[in-house]
Amino acid sequence: MNHSMIHSMVALQSLQQKLDLIGHNVANVNTVGYKRKDASFDELLTTVKNQPPEFALPGRRTPLGLQLGWGARLGRTYLDLSQGTLTPTENPLDVAISGDALFEVGLALTDENGVRTETAAYTRNGAFQLVPRPGDTGNLYLATKEGHLVRDEVNFPIAVPVGYRLVIAANGEMTAYNEADPQAPPLELGQLKLVRIHHPELLQNF
């Protein structure tokens, strides 16, 4: 195949992948907690094409060979966890992170044998809600819109007794107030767990 055609094909393929990445970012511009993805390019290896012996003229100082490059390819994609724009809401359970940390939640999974397990997952979307949990009628649990339970600093789900109002302070500390008895002492529920990821490019979407 003609070398110029190979170079063009490789370049167009890399540019198409870059455009797909940009399109994904644009499509999620209004998604709460979405962090855009970016990409870097790597140069492909070069090959040396031997020239005919006629090129070996007396006094030639350059190597007898022609280097052919094969363009560049999309090297890796990575998340940009820099601070985005904070938008105030009227929901007292909506929380935003100032910085590059993530909330930790429990992601329920079912293995091939039908056994349910739970693993750690991370999100920037702080639009939380209180949901019931099967088998526990005395508490509501702080969860994401998808139903994943939010964890506290000791890796436990955050349980709020029924009839109590949850207040989340600016530093992540959580307090529950008895709505039926305003004079009752509040309950300290710990603190939201925040995690800083050193290699965000290794994270997988769920």
Side-chain angles (χ1 to χ4, degrees), residues 56-75:
L57 300 177
R60 181 184 178 96
R61 296 181 179 274
T62 57
L64 187 63
L66 178 64
Q67 286 193 346
L68 295 176
W70 299 99
R73 67 179 178 88
L74 192 69

Side-chain angles (χ1 to χ4, degrees), residues 16-152:
Q16 182 61 57
Q17 291 174 325
K18 177 69 172 180
L19 289 175
D20 292 342
L21 199 63
I22 295 174
H24 188 267
N25 291 334
V26 173
N28 288 277
V29 67
N30 292 322
T31 301
V32 177
Y34 177 80
K35 308 307 293 183
R36 72 181 184 91
K37 296 180 180 179
D38 208 341
S40 62
F41 290 85
D42 295 334
E43 183 180 1
L44 296 177
L45 296 176
T46 59
T47 59
V48 178
K49 182 178 180 180
N50 293 326
Q51 294 174 326
E54 291 77 10
F55 281 84
L57 300 177
R60 181 184 178 96
R61 296 181 179 274
T62 57
L64 187 63
L66 178 64
Q67 286 193 346
L68 295 176
W70 299 99
R73 67 179 178 88
L74 192 69
R76 66 183 182 92
T77 59
Y78 54 91
L79 287 176
D80 182 4
L81 293 180
S82 59
Q83 177 64 54
T85 302
L86 300 181
T87 303
T89 68
E90 300 299 326
N91 188 346
L93 298 182
D94 285 349
V95 183
I97 300 175
S98 179
D100 58 354
L102 299 168
F103 297 109
E104 182 174 309
V105 300
L107 179 62
L109 301 174
T110 303
D111 61 17
E112 56 186 9
N113 297 321
V115 179
R116 292 183 60 84
T117 60
E118 188 174 277
T119 186
Y122 308 97
T123 181
R124 288 278 298 192
N125 189 347
F128 298 146
Q129 59 182 342
L130 292 175
V131 298
R133 194 175 186 182
D136 187 351
T137 59
N139 295 293
L140 296 175
Y141 289 82
L142 191 65
T144 64
K145 293 298 184 182
E146 296 77 19
H148 306 306
L149 299 183
V150 183
R151 292 180 174 179
D152 61 15

